[in-house]
């Protein structure tokens, strides 16, 4: 059914790909305020049928209560932790996200971090910028033949496995669900217990969703089970790792290093962890590619158009 352009009003509260804004504007009355603050949103939300956010704007109970016309909350990306889902459900407001949009972007960043851990690219660059030629210090090693342990073999874990296979890495995986045999064969991955993965992997990469079970999954005990000289990569969610325990393990040298894109608190409340020499840190940039943002916008907009078409 053809939608009447001005029938629905949409407010976009965080930065959003231009393609998505154009497509939405051809159907709806769109307001784009990527820097709107929480008070401004509270003052305006009653005018809108749809609110779109990324990770910055919080759709709290108060916003939902004031949004008397709200029908849809759209999150361009995966995490829904900035949306009060209970309040949305109690008002029968639909919540859409696009978990599939950032798979490749996060997988590529993960490989970038793994290569950096093995070769010291960012250390070399830091040295060069400070007038230091660190050639002798930066003796690295190759990924070919090394073992990558993937915890959480979902969308991103699987894509990381595909990329790692191309580097000639051996792949071990651990997940709580039964994994697709075809995919395991395709990437040549072996399913093992968590303990076996930890004790056998040169790199352990986390790709689980954050749940009650995965909160602090990598605690002191699990970190102590990692092979001596191994590296941890977290591009999943900060709280999957107990940062205090990680700090201890990194300082004691019981693990060789870590690469972190996500943190228990973002930005981190203390810089002790990120300042360690054996840590590479990035500011939650896993999904920060033009392609992932375009895909998130496109997928989200189509979901919204379809849902509102069904309402008419
Ligand atoms: P997904 O749902 O496709 O995969 C998650 C996998 O984890 C599933 O196979 C699930 O069975 C497994 N899992 C859940 N609980 C587990 C447990 N206790 N033990 C072992 N395995 C368990 O999710 P995805 O799209 O692949 O995303 C993976 C992670 O990446 C999520 O935490 C997501 O929030 C994060 N992410 C980060 C960024 C970033 O910017 N760094 C961007 C997008 C997604």
């Amino acid at each position: 059914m053809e939608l009447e352009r001005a029938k629905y009003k949409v407010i976009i509260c965080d930065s959003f790909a231009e393609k998505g804004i154009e497509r939405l504007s051809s159907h709806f009355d769109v307001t784009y305020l990527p820097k709107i603050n929480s008070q401004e949103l509270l003052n305006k939300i009653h005018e809108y049928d749809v609110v779109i956010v990324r990770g910055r704007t919080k759709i709290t109970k108060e916003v939902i209560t004031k949004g008397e016309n709200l029908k849809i909350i759209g999150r361009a990306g995966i995490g829904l932790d900035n949306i009060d889902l209970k309040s949305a459900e109690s008002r029968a407001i639909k919540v859409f996200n696009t978990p599939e949009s950032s798979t490749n972007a996060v997988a590529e960043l993960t490989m970038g971090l793994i290569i950096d851990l093995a070769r010291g690219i960012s250390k070399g660059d830091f040295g060069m910028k400070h007038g230091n030629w660190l050639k002798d210090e930066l003796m690295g090693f190759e990924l070919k033949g090394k073992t990558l342990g993937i915890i959480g073999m979902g969308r991103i874990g699987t894509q990381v496995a595909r990329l790692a296979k191309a580097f000639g890495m051996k792949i071990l995986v651990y997940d709580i669900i039964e994994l697709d045999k075809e995919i395991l064969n395709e990437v040549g991955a072996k399913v093992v217990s968590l303990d076996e993965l930890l004790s056998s992997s040169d790199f352990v990469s986390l790709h689980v969703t954050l749940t009650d079970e995965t909160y602090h999954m990598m605690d002191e005990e699990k970190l102590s089970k990692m092979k001596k000289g191994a590296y941890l990569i977290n591009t999943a969610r900060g709280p999957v790792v107990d940062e205090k325990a990680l700090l201890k393990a990194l300082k004691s040298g019981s693990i060789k290093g870590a690469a972190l894109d996500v943190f228990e608190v973002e930005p981190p409340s203390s810089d002790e962890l990120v300042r360690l020499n054996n840590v590479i840190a990035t500011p939650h940039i896993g999904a920060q590619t033009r392609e992932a943002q375009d895909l998130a916008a496109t997928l989200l907009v189509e979901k919204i158009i379809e849902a509102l078409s069904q309402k008419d």
Side-chain angles (χ1 to χ4, degrees), residues 64-109:
I64 291 172
T65 308
K66 294 220 165 171
E68 55 204 41
N69 290 318
L70 269 187
K71 295 164 188 64
I72 294 175
I73 299 168
R75 158 72 160 106
I78 183 167
L80 294 172
D81 25 321
N82 54 329
I83 298 166
D84 186 332
L85 295 175
K86 269 200 189 128
S87 301
E89 194 184 349
S90 72
R91 288 262 320 279
I93 295 169
K94 290 197 170 113
V95 178
F96 296 132
N97 64 344
T98 60
E100 56 283 63
S101 60
S102 43
T103 303
N104 195 56
V106 181
E108 287 188 7
L109 179 73

Side-chain angles (χ1 to χ4, degrees), residues 102 106 154-156 175-176 207-208 214 235-237 261 284 286-287:
S102 43
V106 181
R155 282 175 290 258
I156 297 171
D175 201 302
I176 42 164
H207 300 289
V208 292
T214 62
T235 58
R237 281 290 177 265
D261 184 48
H284 201 149

Side-chain angles (χ1 to χ4, degrees), residues 252-266:
S252 72
S254 84
I255 67 170
K256 186 90 189 281
L260 309 168
D261 184 48
V262 288
F263 302 88
E264 288 203 61
V265 177
E266 294 183 0

Side-chain angles (χ1 to χ4, degrees), residues 8-212:
Y8 294 111
K9 290 186 78 176
V10 179
I11 183 165
I12 305 175
C13 298
D14 291 339
S15 61
F16 198 65
E18 208 159 309
K19 264 190 200 166
I21 301 175
E22 275 168 21
R23 174 97 170 109
L24 272 176
S25 302
S26 67
H27 286 277
F28 313 118
D29 185 347
V30 177
T31 307
Y32 182 46
L33 294 172
K35 293 199 169 123
I36 191 170
N37 66 35
S38 52
Q39 190 52 52
E40 288 162 349
L41 179 61
L42 279 173
N43 295 341
K44 276 185 167 295
I45 192 70
H46 65 277
E47 298 172 33
Y48 295 95
D49 302 280
V50 178
V51 59
I52 293 179
V53 296
R54 280 182 60 199
R56 185 191 71 97
T57 300
K58 297 202 176 359
I59 303 298
T60 58
K61 185 174 179 182
E62 211 182 347
V63 172
I64 291 172
T65 308
K66 294 220 165 171
E68 55 204 41
N69 290 318
L70 269 187
K71 295 164 188 64
I72 294 175
I73 299 168
R75 158 72 160 106
I78 183 167
L80 294 172
D81 25 321
N82 54 329
I83 298 166
D84 186 332
L85 295 175
K86 269 200 189 128
S87 301
E89 194 184 349
S90 72
R91 288 262 320 279
I93 295 169
K94 290 197 170 113
V95 178
F96 296 132
N97 64 344
T98 60
E100 56 283 63
S101 60
S102 43
T103 303
N104 195 56
V106 181
E108 287 188 7
L109 179 73
T110 304
M111 289 311 295
L113 293 171
I114 291 174
I115 295 170
D116 199 354
L117 286 168
R119 302 300 300 274
I121 300 169
S122 50
K123 271 195 194 124
D125 172 64
F126 188 81
M128 296 290 286
K129 288 193 167 66
H130 291 80
N132 298 319
W133 184 256
L134 299 175
K135 184 173 167 110
D136 291 341
E137 287 88 328
L138 291 177
M139 175 60 75
F141 62 92
E142 296 175 21
L143 301 185
K144 191 173 176 187
K146 301 296 180 303
T147 301
L148 170 65
I150 295 177
I151 303 182
M153 185 72 168
R155 282 175 290 258
I156 297 171
T158 301
Q159 186 59 13
V160 169
R162 288 193 178 107
L163 300 178
K165 187 189 177 199
F167 278 85
M169 298 186 86
K170 292 181 200 146
I171 298 156
L172 301 178
V173 299
Y174 169 74
D175 201 302
I176 42 164
I177 56 163
E178 196 175 332
L179 297 167
D180 186 328
K181 295 226 164 32
E182 239 175 78
I183 291 178
L184 292 171
N185 283 340
E186 178 202 326
V187 297
K190 185 177 165 203
V191 179
V192 292
S193 68
L194 182 54
D195 280 359
E196 188 180 342
L197 182 148
L198 294 172
S199 62
S200 312
S201 301
D202 301 298
F203 296 90
V204 172
S205 194
L206 302 172
H207 300 289
V208 292
T209 33
L210 177 60
T211 63
D212 289 346

